[in-house]
Amino acid sequence: MISFDESLRQVAELAKPLPAEMVPLAEADGRVLAAPVVAGRNAPAFAVSAMDGYAVRDEDLRNLPATLRVTGKSFAGGGVPDAILPGTCVRVFTGAAVPPGADRVIIQEDVTATNDGAQFDHPPGSSRHIRAAGSDFAIGDVLVPADVPLNPQRLVAAAAADLADVAVIRQPRVFILANGDELRAPGSAGAADQIPDSLTTALTAFVRRWHGNVAGHSVCPDDLSRLQRTASEAVSQADVVVVTGGASVGERDFAKTMFADHDLHLVFAKVAIRPGKPVWLGRAGSTLIVGLPGNPTSALVTARLYLAPLLAGLAGFDPATAWAWQTRPLAAPLETGGERHTFLRAKSSGDGVEALRDQDSGAQKALAAAEYLISRPPSAARAETGSLVDTLLI
Ligand SMILES: Nc1nc2c(c(=O)[nH]1)N[C@H]1C(S)=C(S)[C@@H](COP(=O)(O)OP(=O)(O)OC[C@H]3O[C@@H](n4cnc5c(N)ncnc54)[C@H](O)[C@@H]3O)O[C@H]1N2
Ligand code: MOO
C-alpha cells in the first residue's frame, strides 16, 4: 500500500500529453493547441474604414464649410477604390477599403449630403477612423501560443488567420468496463438480486467533463473468459480503460486478472486513502488502466482524485488543474481523523463547508448532495467550526 502523496506523483508522471491531431476549427473549442496559431495574412489586408462616412484629404477641409464632389462608394468586399483626387471625397462604409491618398474618414453624422456632393461644416476630430493594413496582425505574428486551450476569444483569432483546421492535442479515448453479475442498465434492474449499474452513465459524463472521449463501454458479468474478451476489445480501442468493481480480494474480483494476456504492469494497487483503498493503476502496452472500486462513492471519489488529472494531462492540460485544493472554513466540527488519508464528502453551508452525515463508501443518495471533498490527512486532529480545511470541488 502506498501513501496518497506517492500515488499522486505516479499519476502526474503518466499524465503527459497525447500526440497532436488536426481538427476543424468548429470542433476545436476547449482543446489544447499543439502548435501556435500563426498569421498567414495581414489583417486588415489594406487600410479600411472604422466607420460609415466619407474618406477625405485633410487639405480639402482647410477652409470650412467645404463641399466636395463624391466620386464613388467603397463597400466591404468591394476591393480597393482608385486614389482620391483633390477636391473630392469617397463614400465609405465600415470595413471597406479607404481610397489611397485619403487622410481620414468623417463620420456621416457630421456630413450633409447636398445636390453638389457632401458638405463638411466642422473641423475633424482627433480620430482618423482608419485601420492601417496589418494594424491588427501581420503575416508571421503568433496569434495564439501553443499549449493553451482554445476558447471563443482564441477561436476568433484563429478564424481571423483564415485557418480551417488547427493542430490540437488528441483527447484520450476511454473505455468504461463495469463488472458484476448483479449489474443491469438503469431502468431494467427488476429482480431483487439485481442492482442498477449506477456508475457507467456517471463516469461517461465525468470523462467528457475532464476532456476525454468515451470510445466504448461494457457491463460484464463476473465471468473471466468474457471479461478477458472485453478487456482485449477495450485495450485495442482506448488510451485509458476505466474498470469499475472487482478491485478487491473477493473470489470473483477479476478486474486485474482479465488483463493478464496484455502484460499488465501495475503502477500501484492499493493506496492508504479512505474511501477507495483498492483503487489501482496499471498499464497494458500503451493503454493505461484505472481500476476504481465498485462501491459508488469510492468510485467517484477515486475518479475525482486520479482519473480527472490523468485525463486532463493526457489532453494537454496541466494535471494540477484537477487538484485545485482551496481552503474553506468548517461550518461544523470534524472528529479526529483515522490512519488513512480521508476524503469526506461535503456540502456548502453558510460561508463554509459541512461534511455529509452519510460517509459510507457504498452511499449513492449522499452523492447527490456532495459538492466538495474535504481532505483529512492521516491522524488529523479534531477540527472546530471555523477552522480552515482543504477542499476540492467534486
Ligand atoms: N476482505 C476485504 N473485503 C473488502 C476489502 C478488503 O480490503 N478486504 N475492501 C473493501 C473496500 S474498501 C471496497 S471499496 C470494496 C471494493 O470492492 P470491489 O472493487 O471489488 O467492488 P465489487 O466487489 O465489485 O463491488 C463492491 C460494491 O459495489 C457495487 N457495485 C459495483 N459496481 C457497481 C456499479 N457499476 N454500479 C453500482 N454498484 C456497483 C457492488 O454491487 C458491491 O455492492 O471491497 C471491500 N471489500
Ligand atoms: O476503500 Mo472502500 O472504498 O472504503 O469502501
Side-chain angles (χ1 to χ4, degrees), residues 47-72:
V48 296
S49 179
M51 296 295 232
D52 299 317
Y54 294 81
V56 297
R57 297 170 351 118
D58 282 351
E59 176 114 7
D60 292 329
L61 299 188
R62 278 254 170 86
N63 301 310
L64 296 173
T67 298
L68 304 177
R69 190 161 60 84
V70 182
T71 57

Side-chain angles (χ1 to χ4, degrees), residues 273-278 293 295 298 340 361-362:
I273 55 172
R274 194 186 145 127
K277 181 182 70 178
N295 280 325
S298 304
R340 285 184 260 156
S361 62

